[in-house]
Amino acid sequence: MAYGPTLAALADPTRRAVFERLRDGPASVGDLARALPVSRPAVSQHLKALKQAGLVTARAEGTHRVYAIDPQGIGELRRWLDRFWGDASNRSGGKSNGSEPPRGRKQP
């Protein structure tokens, strides 16, 4: 997976909020729209972009589509990001164990 489309998809604050809502578990468009200050059509468009970026999956459940975070998409993004922690650890003389961000950087 190319990380560019994934990062671009998460750059939009509303799309990121939709994605973060899915952290609590699978949800339909209606469930997500009720929890956010955007319309159902807008949520659908954000989910479409997240799906195209490989970050969510969709399955039919009756007349609804239920969306969930795609662990494979997250895993690929995580592996890409983890390379930076390893590189930072190597440059700092091995002071980092690779499981945390380099010092002097705040975690989001």
Side-chain angles (χ1 to χ4, degrees), residues 26-96:
S28 68
V29 173
D31 292 337
L32 293 166
R34 279 190 289 281
L36 296 165
V38 293
S39 68
R40 288 173 69 133
V43 170
S44 291
Q45 290 298 310
H46 286 297
L47 287 165
K48 180 180 177 182
L50 290 167
K51 189 170 186 249
Q52 289 174 337
L55 291 169
V56 301
T57 60
R59 73 176 191 281
E61 196 170 282
T63 59
H64 295 64
R65 297 198 59 75
V66 176
Y67 292 84
I69 290 177
D70 184 345
Q72 184 176 356
I74 293 296
E76 291 180 25
L77 180 60
R78 170 96 192 253
R79 283 187 290 280
W80 178 76
L81 290 169
D82 282 347
R83 294 185 320 184
F84 291 93
W85 270 261
D87 291 348
S89 175
N90 292 337
R91 286 190 197 102
S92 67
K95 293 178 185 173
S96 171

Side-chain angles (χ1 to χ4, degrees), residues 92-103:
S92 67
K95 293 178 185 173
S96 171
N97 66 7
S99 65
E100 57 189 36
R103 289 190 176 162

Side-chain angles (χ1 to χ4, degrees), residues 13-38:
T14 303
R15 196 169 299 137
R16 207 168 40 249
V18 170
F19 183 71
E20 288 172 1
R21 289 282 178 181
L22 289 173
R23 190 172 68 179
D24 296 332
S28 68
V29 173
D31 292 337
L32 293 166
R34 279 190 289 281
L36 296 165
V38 293

